[in-house]
Amino acid sequence: EAGVVQSPRYKIIEKKQPVAFWCNPISGHNTLYWYRQNLGQGPELLIRYENEEAVDDSQLPKDRFSAERLKGVDSTLKIQPAELGDSAVYLCASSLRDEQFFGPGTRLTVL
Amino acid sequence: QKEVEQDPGPLSVPEGAIVSLNCTYSNSAFQYFMWYRQYSRKGPELLMYTYSSGNKEDGRFTAQVDKSSKYISLFIRDSQPSDSATYLCAMGNSSASKIIFGSGTRLSIRP
């Protein structure tokens, strides 16, 4: 069974540029999560989807971050414009019940 | 004060030693307790999961929860170099779908 797929794996951009991350969850998993992991820290939830609905986006900085999950499968997380402090690893996870399965993450560097 | 506190390490022990990793928490509503392992450049993977006080054993790993002290532990017996990774504790209240991670402890097992 394929795991959670994320792309790109690495991204380097200059500040004020836009960037987008893509996630393909494990087939059949209706819950999808986006986390941000800063260096030396644990993941912090940005947004959680149940199928197509964003049920928890309280930690998503909505002035510059947006996300969508079309048809309840793949998801895209966007930052526009990026700031220096956005440099981090962006993790996608999916779950069917309690256990969350994580992808390898996208390492973003903002210069 | 963070909801979940975890010593960041690094912790270095010789192969075969018993490893003890710990977290404390402040939110008495937490009912779900997890340990994740994260290798470098990878996403976290679930190691242990429990929702009650006491011990849970799985091979060389034992998870211990003391709700009265708000303290959880992970013990690794007969540690192997392949156990070298960052270990993250995580906790949730009403369900495992919204969890708070500790900052992680970096563990190195010396051959």
Side-chain angles (χ1 to χ4, degrees), chain A residues 1-4 24-33 49-52 69 71-74 93-102:
Chain A
E1 178 182 277
V4 176
N24 178 238
I26 292 173
S27 178
H29 283 194
N30 58 325
T31 307
L32 184 146
Y33 312 76
Y49 282 93
E50 294 288 347
N51 299 306
E52 297 179 346
R69 190 181 185 196
K71 300 182 180 178
V73 181
D74 294 0
S94 69
S95 68
L96 181 60
R97 283 180 283 277
D98 290 335
E99 181 176 354
Q100 296 185 29
F101 294 83
F102 284 81

Side-chain angles (χ1 to χ4, degrees), chain B residues 13-15 26-27 31 35 43 50 63 68 70 73 75 78 87 90:
Chain B
V13 301
E15 183 175 356
S26 58
N27 188 343
Q31 298 180 49
W35 285 95
T50 182
S68 61
K70 297 189 180 65
S73 300
F75 299 96
D78 187 25
Y87 289 79

Side-chain angles (χ1 to χ4, degrees), chain A residues 23-53:
Chain A
C23 173
N24 178 238
I26 292 173
S27 178
H29 283 194
N30 58 325
T31 307
L32 184 146
Y33 312 76
W34 282 103
Y35 288 87
R36 177 169 58 190
Q37 186 174 24
N38 292 312
L39 187 65
Q41 299 296 316
E44 295 177 323
L45 181 69
L46 291 173
I47 189 168
R48 174 168 64 98
Y49 282 93
E50 294 288 347
N51 299 306
E52 297 179 346
E53 183 181 0

Side-chain angles (χ1 to χ4, degrees), chain A residues 6 9 35-44 88-92 102-107, chain B residues 6 21 35-47 61 74 76 82-89 101-108:
Chain A
Q6 291 189 246
R9 291 294 315 276
Y35 288 87
R36 177 169 58 190
Q37 186 174 24
N38 292 312
L39 187 65
Q41 299 296 316
E44 295 177 323
V89 175
Y90 291 82
L91 293 161
C92 179
F102 284 81
T106 296
R107 184 175 297 269
Chain B
Q6 185 174 9
L21 304 168
W35 285 95
Y36 282 80
R37 177 175 62 195
Q38 186 173 23
Y39 290 114
S40 181
R41 309 282 179 177
K42 302 286 188 183
E45 58 177 332
L46 184 65
L47 270 180
F61 298 89
L74 178 70
I76 307 174
S82 59
D83 295 328
S84 298
T86 296
Y87 289 79
L88 299 153
C89 62
F101 284 88
S103 57
T105 299
R106 182 182 291 182
L107 173 66
S108 176

Side-chain angles (χ1 to χ4, degrees), chain B residues 33-97:
Chain B
F33 304 92
M34 289 147 279
W35 285 95
Y36 282 80
R37 177 175 62 195
Q38 186 173 23
Y39 290 114
S40 181
R41 309 282 179 177
K42 302 286 188 183
E45 58 177 332
L46 184 65
L47 270 180
M48 302 283 288
Y49 177 120
T50 182
Y51 53 88
S52 61
S53 282
N55 294 352
K56 182 177 181 180
E57 189 173 318
D58 184 1
R60 296 184 295 110
F61 298 89
T62 300
Q64 191 174 80
V65 175
D66 182 347
K67 289 187 178 179
S68 61
S69 301
K70 297 189 180 65
Y71 190 87
I72 72 170
S73 300
L74 178 70
F75 299 96
I76 307 174
R77 292 185 301 279
D78 187 25
S79 56
Q80 304 294 310
S82 59
D83 295 328
S84 298
T86 296
Y87 289 79
L88 299 153
C89 62
M91 306 175 193
N93 46 15
S94 57
S95 74
S97 61

